[in-house]
Amino acid sequence: MNKQKLKRSIRFSISIAVITFVLAAIFSVVSSSILGKASTIMGLIIVLIIVLVGVIFDMLGIAATAASEIPFHAMAAEKVSGSKQAIIIIRNADRFASFCNDVIGDISGIISGTASAVVVIQIANGFGYSENSGIFIIVSVALTSLVAALTVGGKAVGKYFAIHSSTKIIHFAGKGIAFFEDKLKIKVLSKSK
């Protein structure tokens, strides 16, 4: 590996660590404040949404590494929306996958664990159980196991679709990014070098 690539990799690693820190703090504060005011059922729904976000972003990251650039060149020639963004995603698949899998995916896993703990406490308080009671421990283990199973199972299914439908998934992501860039004028991707 040459020095320029090493410097670029280190710079990216540091920036992704800072982004992760900031996003984790934001998601943690937002989810905790929402869960603090939500009912138990709403808390469970929020936990499931957090798990779903992690699964979707994991699928996007895998699809970026599995997709081929070739179909998107034909789409770009025909000016199909999202095709140029899809090419950028594929050319930067390592960075895109790192952001989707490691940043968003891992943050979702951590936040879903924290959120499920808050929901367990809500359930225990709702039924008047202390944190040392057997019921509290059973509910805690059951909910934690359920969240873990949904996360791992969902990511397994997502990986299957990511590998076998990578072109469709990355084109969908490209369209989403194109909407932000074209309609909302929010720059999401930079041109690859």
Side-chain angles (χ1 to χ4, degrees), residues 99-115:
F99 178 78
C100 290
N101 297 78
D102 300 335
V103 176
I104 303 299
D106 290 352
I107 288 173
S108 296
I110 293 164
I111 300 298
S112 66
T114 305

PDB file of all heavy atoms in Angstrom, residues 99-115:
ATOM      1  N   PHE A  99     -19.761   3.063   6.065  1.00  0.00           N
ATOM      2  CA  PHE A  99     -20.739   3.964   6.673  1.00  0.00           C
ATOM      3  C   PHE A  99     -22.030   3.217   6.997  1.00  0.00           C
ATOM      4  O   PHE A  99     -22.543   3.300   8.114  1.00  0.00           O
ATOM      5  CB  PHE A  99     -21.030   5.162   5.755  1.00  0.00           C
ATOM      6  CG  PHE A  99     -22.058   6.092   6.317  1.00  0.00           C
ATOM      7  CD1 PHE A  99     -21.721   6.992   7.305  1.00  0.00           C
ATOM      8  CD2 PHE A  99     -23.372   6.047   5.875  1.00  0.00           C
ATOM      9  CE1 PHE A  99     -22.676   7.846   7.853  1.00  0.00           C
ATOM     10  CE2 PHE A  99     -24.330   6.889   6.413  1.00  0.00           C
ATOM     11  CZ  PHE A  99     -23.977   7.794   7.398  1.00  0.00           C
ATOM     12  N   CYS A 100     -22.553   2.481   6.009  1.00  0.00           N
ATOM     13  CA  CYS A 100     -23.841   1.804   6.205  1.00  0.00           C
ATOM     14  C   CYS A 100     -23.748   0.684   7.240  1.00  0.00           C
ATOM     15  O   CYS A 100     -24.568   0.610   8.150  1.00  0.00           O
ATOM     16  CB  CYS A 100     -24.341   1.226   4.883  1.00  0.00           C
ATOM     17  SG  CYS A 100     -24.872   2.470   3.707  1.00  0.00           S
ATOM     18  N   ASN A 101     -22.755  -0.197   7.091  1.00  0.00           N
ATOM     19  CA  ASN A 101     -22.654  -1.365   7.978  1.00  0.00           C
ATOM     20  C   ASN A 101     -22.105  -0.988   9.347  1.00  0.00           C
ATOM     21  O   ASN A 101     -22.652  -1.411  10.370  1.00  0.00           O
ATOM     22  CB  ASN A 101     -21.757  -2.440   7.361  1.00  0.00           C
ATOM     23  CG  ASN A 101     -22.321  -2.985   6.077  1.00  0.00           C
ATOM     24  OD1 ASN A 101     -22.208  -2.344   5.045  1.00  0.00           O
ATOM     25  ND2 ASN A 101     -22.918  -4.146   6.128  1.00  0.00           N
ATOM     26  N   ASP A 102     -21.004  -0.257   9.350  1.00  0.00           N
ATOM     27  CA  ASP A 102     -20.307  -0.005  10.605  1.00  0.00           C
ATOM     28  C   ASP A 102     -20.888   1.168  11.377  1.00  0.00           C
ATOM     29  O   ASP A 102     -21.086   1.074  12.580  1.00  0.00           O
ATOM     30  CB  ASP A 102     -18.806   0.230  10.352  1.00  0.00           C
ATOM     31  CG  ASP A 102     -18.155  -0.975   9.695  1.00  0.00           C
ATOM     32  OD1 ASP A 102     -18.678  -2.091   9.871  1.00  0.00           O
ATOM     33  OD2 ASP A 102     -17.138  -0.814   9.006  1.00  0.00           O
ATOM     34  N   VAL A 103     -21.165   2.253  10.702  1.00  0.00           N
ATOM     35  CA  VAL A 103     -21.663   3.424  11.418  1.00  0.00           C
ATOM     36  C   VAL A 103     -23.144   3.249  11.754  1.00  0.00           C
ATOM     37  O   VAL A 103     -23.512   3.104  12.919  1.00  0.00           O
ATOM     38  CB  VAL A 103     -21.424   4.728  10.623  1.00  0.00           C
ATOM     39  CG1 VAL A 103     -22.031   5.920  11.341  1.00  0.00           C
ATOM     40  CG2 VAL A 103     -19.941   4.956  10.403  1.00  0.00           C
ATOM     41  N   ILE A 104     -23.992   3.229  10.741  1.00  0.00           N
ATOM     42  CA  ILE A 104     -25.434   3.164  10.986  1.00  0.00           C
ATOM     43  C   ILE A 104     -25.835   1.799  11.548  1.00  0.00           C
ATOM     44  O   ILE A 104     -26.593   1.714  12.524  1.00  0.00           O
ATOM     45  CB  ILE A 104     -26.238   3.480   9.708  1.00  0.00           C
ATOM     46  CG1 ILE A 104     -25.867   4.860   9.153  1.00  0.00           C
ATOM     47  CG2 ILE A 104     -27.737   3.391   9.995  1.00  0.00           C
ATOM     48  CD1 ILE A 104     -26.141   6.015  10.078  1.00  0.00           C
ATOM     49  N   GLY A 105     -25.321   0.723  10.963  1.00  0.00           N
ATOM     50  CA  GLY A 105     -25.687  -0.616  11.423  1.00  0.00           C
ATOM     51  C   GLY A 105     -25.294  -0.872  12.862  1.00  0.00           C
ATOM     52  O   GLY A 105     -26.095  -1.369  13.661  1.00  0.00           O
ATOM     53  N   ASP A 106     -24.064  -0.542  13.215  1.00  0.00           N
ATOM     54  CA  ASP A 106     -23.604  -0.784  14.583  1.00  0.00           C
ATOM     55  C   ASP A 106     -24.272   0.155  15.587  1.00  0.00           C
ATOM     56  O   ASP A 106     -24.611  -0.254  16.698  1.00  0.00           O
ATOM     57  CB  ASP A 106     -22.083  -0.661  14.675  1.00  0.00           C
ATOM     58  CG  ASP A 106     -21.372  -1.811  13.954  1.00  0.00           C
ATOM     59  OD1 ASP A 106     -22.065  -2.762  13.535  1.00  0.00           O
ATOM     60  OD2 ASP A 106     -20.146  -1.758  13.811  1.00  0.00           O
ATOM     61  N   ILE A 107     -24.473   1.403  15.195  1.00  0.00           N
ATOM     62  CA  ILE A 107     -25.183   2.337  16.083  1.00  0.00           C
ATOM     63  C   ILE A 107     -26.599   1.815  16.344  1.00  0.00           C
ATOM     64  O   ILE A 107     -27.077   1.824  17.475  1.00  0.00           O
ATOM     65  CB  ILE A 107     -25.223   3.761  15.499  1.00  0.00           C
ATOM     66  CG1 ILE A 107     -23.838   4.410  15.572  1.00  0.00           C
ATOM     67  CG2 ILE A 107     -26.237   4.628  16.241  1.00  0.00           C
ATOM     68  CD1 ILE A 107     -23.751   5.743  14.864  1.00  0.00           C
ATOM     69  N   SER A 108     -27.254   1.327  15.296  1.00  0.00           N
ATOM     70  CA  SER A 108     -28.605   0.785  15.461  1.00  0.00           C
ATOM     71  C   SER A 108     -28.609  -0.388  16.427  1.00  0.00           C
ATOM     72  O   SER A 108     -29.517  -0.513  17.255  1.00  0.00           O
ATOM     73  CB  SER A 108     -29.175   0.337  14.109  1.00  0.00           C
ATOM     74  OG  SER A 108     -29.332   1.427  13.257  1.00  0.00           O
ATOM     75  N   GLY A 109     -27.599  -1.254  16.325  1.00  0.00           N
ATOM     76  CA  GLY A 109     -27.505  -2.390  17.240  1.00  0.00           C
ATOM     77  C   GLY A 109     -27.347  -1.954  18.685  1.00  0.00           C
ATOM     78  O   GLY A 109     -28.004  -2.483  19.585  1.00  0.00           O
ATOM     79  N   ILE A 110     -26.483  -0.983  18.898  1.00  0.00           N
ATOM     80  CA  ILE A 110     -26.246  -0.492  20.264  1.00  0.00           C
ATOM     81  C   ILE A 110     -27.472   0.222  20.805  1.00  0.00           C
ATOM     82  O   ILE A 110     -27.906  -0.016  21.938  1.00  0.00           O
ATOM     83  CB  ILE A 110     -25.005   0.429  20.289  1.00  0.00           C
ATOM     84  CG1 ILE A 110     -23.747  -0.393  19.998  1.00  0.00           C
ATOM     85  CG2 ILE A 110     -24.886   1.157  21.624  1.00  0.00           C
ATOM     86  CD1 ILE A 110     -22.539   0.432  19.632  1.00  0.00           C
ATOM     87  N   ILE A 111     -28.061   1.095  19.987  1.00  0.00           N
ATOM     88  CA  ILE A 111     -29.228   1.868  20.434  1.00  0.00           C
ATOM     89  C   ILE A 111     -30.429   0.944  20.667  1.00  0.00           C
ATOM     90  O   ILE A 111     -31.195   1.141  21.617  1.00  0.00           O
ATOM     91  CB  ILE A 111     -29.583   2.978  19.421  1.00  0.00           C
ATOM     92  CG1 ILE A 111     -28.419   3.944  19.239  1.00  0.00           C
ATOM     93  CG2 ILE A 111     -30.841   3.727  19.837  1.00  0.00           C
ATOM     94  CD1 ILE A 111     -28.014   4.702  20.471  1.00  0.00           C
ATOM     95  N   SER A 112     -30.587  -0.093  19.829  1.00  0.00           N
ATOM     96  CA  SER A 112     -31.713  -1.014  20.035  1.00  0.00           C
ATOM     97  C   SER A 112     -31.550  -1.775  21.345  1.00  0.00           C
ATOM     98  O   SER A 112     -32.541  -2.043  22.035  1.00  0.00           O
ATOM     99  CB  SER A 112     -31.859  -1.982  18.859  1.00  0.00           C
ATOM    100  OG  SER A 112     -30.757  -2.865  18.776  1.00  0.00           O
ATOM    101  N   GLY A 113     -30.315  -2.098  21.713  1.00  0.00           N
ATOM    102  CA  GLY A 113     -30.077  -2.743  23.000  1.00  0.00           C
ATOM    103  C   GLY A 113     -30.426  -1.831  24.155  1.00  0.00           C
ATOM    104  O   GLY A 113     -31.085  -2.246  25.124  1.00  0.00           O
ATOM    105  N   THR A 114     -30.003  -0.590  24.058  1.00  0.00           N
ATOM    106  CA  THR A 114     -30.312   0.393  25.107  1.00  0.00           C
ATOM    107  C   THR A 114     -31.818   0.639  25.176  1.00  0.00           C
ATOM    108  O   THR A 114     -32.396   0.699  26.267  1.00  0.00           O
ATOM    109  CB  THR A 114     -29.574   1.715  24.823  1.00  0.00           C
ATOM    110  OG1 THR A 114     -28.184   1.457  24.687  1.00  0.00           O
ATOM    111  CG2 THR A 114     -29.800   2.729  25.915  1.00  0.00           C
ATOM    112  N   ALA A 115     -32.429   0.783  24.012  1.00  0.00           N
ATOM    113  CA  ALA A 115     -33.867   1.049  23.959  1.00  0.00           C
ATOM    114  C   ALA A 115     -34.661  -0.125  24.524  1.00  0.00           C
ATOM    115  O   ALA A 115     -35.656   0.072  25.227  1.00  0.00           O
ATOM    116  CB  ALA A 115     -34.298   1.341  22.526  1.00  0.00           C
TER     117      ALA A 115
END
